[in-house]
Amino acid sequence: MSDAIVVGSGPNGLACAVELARNGVAVTVLEAEDRIGGGTRTSELAGPGLLHDDCSATHPMAAGSPFLRSLDLEEHGLEWLLPEIDLAHPLDDGTAGVMVRSIEETARGLGEDGPAWKRAFGSSSAHFEDLLQDMLVPILHLPKHPLRLARFGIPAAAPASLLARSWKTPQARALFGGVAAHAFSPLNRPMSSSVGCALINACHAFGWPVAKGGSQAIADALASILREHGGRIETGQRVTSSTDLTGVDLVVFDLSPTAVAEIAGDRLPARVARSYRRYHHGPGAFKLDLAVEGGVPWTNEACRRAGTVHVAGTFEEIALAERAINRGEMPERPFLLVGQQYLADPSRSSGDLHPLWVYAHVPSGYTGDVTESILGQIERFAPGFRERITATSVRTPADLEAYNSNYVGGDIITGANSPVQVLFRPRLALDPYSTGIKGVYICSAATPPGAGAHGMNGYNAARSALRHLA
């Protein structure tokens, strides 16, 4: 029997370990922290009984992941839950752009922009399961559905500021812009529509679900399957040198390229070492977890029923904020992601006290306190909000990096979504999971297809490694 070590127990590390184990490899996962899960951990951050996701919170791509759907995750405790409304984006006049799983219902809510929304996302979302076979793999491959991939890829390759011209109303433009901003990229940059298009299509195909009991349930389910196949997990095992990883046939790193370069040292081929050390991290996040009595008093009624609320104002305001953070400047009004996971999953609350999950986009490594800016942005669309807060927990970009070393400078998506890195991460190679060292691979969010709890990076890396063993 071949044996392997996977370094890191985020969803990609665990997915890689599961795929190796179910193909007869004896796998040990080494996790530096005391708990498994990486970005899918869940904690009581703002008081006992209130469950806050530490990082990753809503999971449209995970719900549609071909690899995760091939596993019996439900038998291992994972249950997807959907809010009544997937996403709302409030504006100052009290209206909001609203997205739900049904593209027909979403289009009706967008009024005159409904037909254009359906033209942009109708065909791709209807065939999204087929599209994922080509989207969740490295860019250099023979497409299984070339025409559908082209139908998705042409608008996805455009700058978000250009694609936003498809819509006339501020509600539709802001709704699209808020989803595009998940890329942490300037919205006038080529490829800045790609993440937004993928997430919108995923919503219309699968919804934007949360995991019952918190995102930790994803990691726990994968760990349960791994153990069922004989795999082992050791926590509190921080790997700092390749000498910690001897005597096995395979090593797979669920780490950033810079961390892999540090651990591998001189064993890396020079060209790979250069690419890994030049790998570019993006802007950071400033996280605020709150206990809120009675929930958020949004002016717009749809926001009170939405699992996710994007708080930023108009498309133009979003573009201004995202441009600023990419220049290293802190905007006065940052873009916020607000998670109300308890609406789909009441088990996360304690009576009428609810957990509110909030990120602000900030420059990489930002050292200032963004708390007041965050509260002000929410209060702008929910007057009286501050009065309902009973507890607060803050995580700065430095705190996020300490929580997960892959989040360099608070970069929670493990790499800038520049046009080059969207297409070719972590380096230009036919096999981007190979480090150039025989039997050594990388499977983190720095590899294709990028960030998310879908586990496809880990699955793809495992398939590459298994080809090496064949």
Side-chain angles (χ1 to χ4, degrees), residues 216-409:
Q216 182 75 49
I218 301 171
D220 290 345
L222 287 169
S224 178
I225 294 172
L226 174 62
R227 294 186 179 104
E228 190 176 74
H229 285 87
R232 299 188 303 119
I233 300 174
E234 298 178 10
T235 58
Q237 301 293 322
R238 187 173 298 276
V239 174
T240 59
S241 168
S242 58
T243 58
D244 301 331
L245 305 169
T246 57
V248 294
D249 300 299
L250 298 172
V251 173
V252 189
F253 292 104
D254 185 9
L255 300 176
S256 70
T258 49
V260 174
E262 288 300 314
I263 293 170
D266 293 340
R267 294 183 65 206
L268 275 181
R271 68 185 186 283
V272 179
R274 284 193 299 271
S275 295
Y276 284 5
R277 292 193 171 100
R278 291 173 180 171
Y279 185 77
H280 184 53
H281 283 272
F286 185 103
K287 189 163 187 276
L288 197 62
D289 290 290
L290 305 169
V292 181
E293 190 168 7
V296 182
W298 302 104
T299 299
N300 181 272
E301 189 271 338
C303 295
R304 302 184 185 190
R305 297 182 285 129
T308 300
V309 181
H310 289 159
V311 179
T314 64
F315 180 92
E316 290 72 22
E317 288 183 76
I318 302 167
L320 187 66
E322 296 304 286
R323 187 182 309 122
I325 63 168
N326 278 274
R327 290 176 175 173
E329 303 166 0
M330 185 63 214
E332 181 180 348
R333 287 180 164 179
F335 174 77
L336 308 185
L337 281 79
V338 178
Q340 302 181 132
Q341 296 95 317
Y342 65 88
L343 293 175
D345 181 11
S347 71
R348 302 190 187 205
S349 300
S350 179
D352 199 34
L353 199 61
H354 305 295
L356 196 71
W357 173 103
V358 187
Y359 275 128
H361 288 189
V362 300
S364 176
Y366 187 70
T367 58
D369 189 347
V370 189
T371 302
E372 284 304 311
S373 294
I374 291 174
L375 298 180
Q377 276 282 70
I378 299 176
E379 185 84 16
R380 172 184 171 190
F381 301 101
F385 166 67
R386 291 174 186 266
E387 300 168 10
R388 300 192 180 197
I389 299 171
T390 64
T392 302
S393 174
V394 171
R395 278 182 171 169
T396 67
D399 293 331
L400 288 168
E401 185 173 347
Y403 158 82
N404 187 331
S405 60
N406 286 356
Y407 299 161
V408 177

Side-chain angles (χ1 to χ4, degrees), residues 153-163 176 187-194 197:
I154 291 171
S161 56
L162 179 61
L163 189 55
F176 168 71
L187 299 188
N188 61 351
R189 178 185 284 174
M191 302 298 299
S192 57
S193 292
S194 59
C197 288

